[in-house]
Amino acid sequence: MEQRQLGHSGLRVSRLALGTMTWGLDVTADDAAEQLTTFHDAGGTLIDTADVYQDGHAEEILGDLLTHHIPRDEIILATKAAARRKPGPFGGGASRGALLAALDESLRRLGTDHIDLWQLQAWDPSVPLDETLAALDTAVTTGRVRYTGIANYTGWQTATAAAHQNHHPTRTPLISTQVEYSLLERGIEREVVPATAHHGLGILAWAPLGRGVLTGKYRNATPPDSRGATTHLAGYVDHHRTERAARIVQALLTAAEGLNTTPAHVALAWVRDRPGITAPILGARTTPQLKTALTTEDLTLPPAIRAALDDISAPQHTYPETQ
């Protein structure tokens, strides 16, 4: 698999990443082992998790796999903190105490002495930004973290945090942001993408298949074995089941037929090769789904098809972006 630089850093990661949001929920430990092996065998290196996924259980599953199945030094390990997990002063949020406590817990669950990419999962308006970002500096200088990033920040939040860190000689630079991005969700193009380009951050795109809608499987009904049929993820999927989405899915079907491939392949290749994107994050429910997604590595969209998809999915830009 092709490797890419993550932002303006020396860290190289695979241009497809493996996500673990449903490990320990819809994906069992045995299934997770099969997924990780499949991803590793395909040349994938970047694995993304978070301390809130199943209250830390996803990290525990991944830590066990990196101890017994895949060598730790062959994986770029990314995790996240700053989302509340439990009550109490150190139960979450972006205070210095909560962040560093969360980091130590993640290291324990993952069975490692360092995180390759540690990301702030959410902006915390109740904590001074300098305090939050100083915790990242401490994490790096103490050797517990190699690189730092953010996730789900708005454009102004991204620019503010990056300006604070990336243009000061004594601070640890941010190298990435993780945000939702797909043919159905292009809002980051308004301000987040320009901010990352200006400050040198790479983009990791979650839900690149529109939470599953861009596969085309929800066109006529909800498959009983899909995430959209579960009580805990139905709303997550239904968020993108709109008339606009139906038009985009139809365009994908037409493109896929012409390329002799699937709508999912076309949608994933579109995200992977968009400006500023380092890697889409794959959140497969089954190993066969993951194997299918990984074959996108062989697909490059023709300019005419890319342009058509750009046009039908274009977000509505208004003042001041249009000036």
Side-chain angles (χ1 to χ4, degrees), residues 4-13 46 72 75-81 103 114-120 133 135-150 165-166 171-177 200 202 204:
R4 292 174 170 174
Q5 302 289 131
L6 185 54
H8 290 178
S9 77
L11 182 63
R12 291 176 59 81
V13 301
L46 179 57
R72 168 67 179 90
I75 292 298
I76 303 300
L77 180 56
T79 193
K80 298 180 285 292
L103 174 58
H114 74 278
I115 304 298
D116 296 303
L117 176 64
W118 193 42
Q119 305 154 98
L120 299 175
L133 297 178
L136 300 183
D137 299 331
T138 298
V140 172
T141 57
T142 56
R144 289 176 281 180
V145 168
R146 299 292 188 260
Y147 295 92
T148 61
I150 54 179
Q165 294 296 99
N166 294 27
R171 307 303 295 250
T172 299
L174 300 171
I175 69 167
S176 67
T177 186
L204 304 175

Side-chain angles (χ1 to χ4, degrees), residues 74-95:
E74 295 181 10
I75 292 298
I76 303 300
L77 180 56
T79 193
K80 298 180 285 292
R84 181 158 295 280
R85 296 181 56 241
K86 57 187 178 182
F90 300 110
S95 70

Side-chain angles (χ1 to χ4, degrees), residues 209-273:
L209 296 179
R211 311 187 185 193
V213 173
L214 292 173
T215 64
K217 63 185 176 184
Y218 294 107
R219 279 181 299 154
N220 301 315
T222 300
D225 61 344
S226 68
R227 287 176 176 169
T230 65
T231 56
H232 56 281
L233 288 175
Y236 174 81
V237 174
D238 289 344
H239 175 76
H240 283 321
R241 297 177 74 175
T242 64
E243 290 184 7
R244 173 178 176 269
R247 292 192 297 270
I248 294 171
V249 169
Q250 185 56 53
L252 281 173
L253 288 165
T254 301
E257 183 177 359
L259 295 172
N260 193 30
T261 186
T262 68
H265 282 99
V266 176
L268 192 55
W270 182 89
V271 172
R272 184 198 63 201
D273 296 331

